[in-house]
């Protein structure tokens, strides 16, 4: 009896995780298949390559059309869709961009108030403070690596 107990325990130690792993993998595959079958026009999706877009047409069984920019529609395999993505709410986007813009204006004011160093490019000095505030791009202060 003791001779049979050790191989049986070893079999259980190896077999149980193996069986549980395959069950988990099957559940994930079923969920992925269900998501790909439930894709409808108007859904925001992300492909396996990281491309975001809006589903334009799902009439084919194997392919879908994804609009990646206004007027630009591309055809993809259904299997290339990784996940559905929630659309961006415009109110949240405006708040985030307002906070970012306010931080950028404060940074630009600090940069303009700081004395100019010899390492700054002359092109940066020729830009007036008024132009900095009206343009959307912000100039970051130079990094000083290894200087103490």
């Amino acid at each position: 009896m003791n001779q049979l107990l050790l191989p049986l325990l070893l079999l259980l130690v190896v077999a149980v995780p193996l069986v549980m792993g395959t069950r988990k993998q099957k559940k994930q595959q079923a969920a992925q298949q269900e998501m790909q079958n439930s894709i409808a026009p108007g859904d925001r999706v992300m492909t396996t390559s990281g491309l975001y877009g809006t589903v334009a047409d799902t009439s084919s069984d194997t392919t879908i059309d994804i609009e990646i920019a206004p007027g630009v529609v591309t055809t993809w395999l259904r299997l290339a869709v990784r996940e559905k993505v929630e659309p961006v709410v415009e109110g949240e986007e405006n708040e985030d961009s307002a906070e970012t813009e306010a931080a950028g204006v404060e940074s630009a004011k600090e940069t303009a108030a700081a004395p100019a160093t010899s390492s700054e490019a002359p092109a940066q000095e020729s830009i007036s403070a008024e132009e900095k505030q009206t343009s959307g791009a912000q100039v970051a202060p130079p990094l000083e690596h290894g200087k103490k």
Side-chain angles (χ1 to χ4, degrees):
M1 177 91 173
N2 285 338
Q3 295 174 353
L4 188 60
L5 187 61
L6 184 61
L8 185 60
L9 285 175
L10 287 174
L11 181 66
L12 284 175
V13 168
V14 171
V16 169
L18 186 64
V19 169
M20 296 302 282
T22 57
R23 289 183 64 207
K24 182 178 178 183
Q25 186 178 12
K26 284 183 182 180
K27 285 181 184 179
Q28 288 176 343
Q29 286 176 345
Q32 185 74 12
Q33 185 70 31
E34 180 182 334
M35 184 275 306
Q36 288 172 349
N37 290 336
S38 69
I39 294 173
D43 289 343
R44 290 267 306 151
V45 295
M46 181 179 79
T47 65
T48 55
S49 60
L51 183 79
Y52 289 88
T54 305
V55 176
D57 182 31
T58 58
S59 60
S60 175
D61 290 337
T62 58
T63 62
I64 61 172
D65 290 338
I66 298 177
E67 184 175 18
I68 56 176
V72 180
V73 178
T74 57
T75 302
W76 293 76
L77 289 174
R78 279 185 185 265
L79 298 176
V81 176
R82 180 176 186 174
E83 62 185 86
K84 285 186 181 180
V85 181
E86 295 296 322
V88 177
V89 178
E90 300 226 358
E92 293 175 5
E93 182 180 304
N94 290 339
E95 291 172 7
D96 291 342
S97 63
E99 291 173 7
T100 305
E101 185 176 321
V105 170
E106 290 175 13
S107 175
K109 288 179 183 176
E110 291 172 4
T111 304
T117 62
S118 61
S119 65
E120 288 185 25
Q124 289 179 350
E125 294 174 4
S126 65
I127 300 174
S128 68
E130 185 177 302
E131 289 177 25
K132 285 183 183 178
Q133 290 178 353
T134 58
S135 69
Q138 298 295 324
V139 178
L143 296 175
E144 297 185 21
H145 294 289
K147 294 182 182 178
K148 292 185 181 183

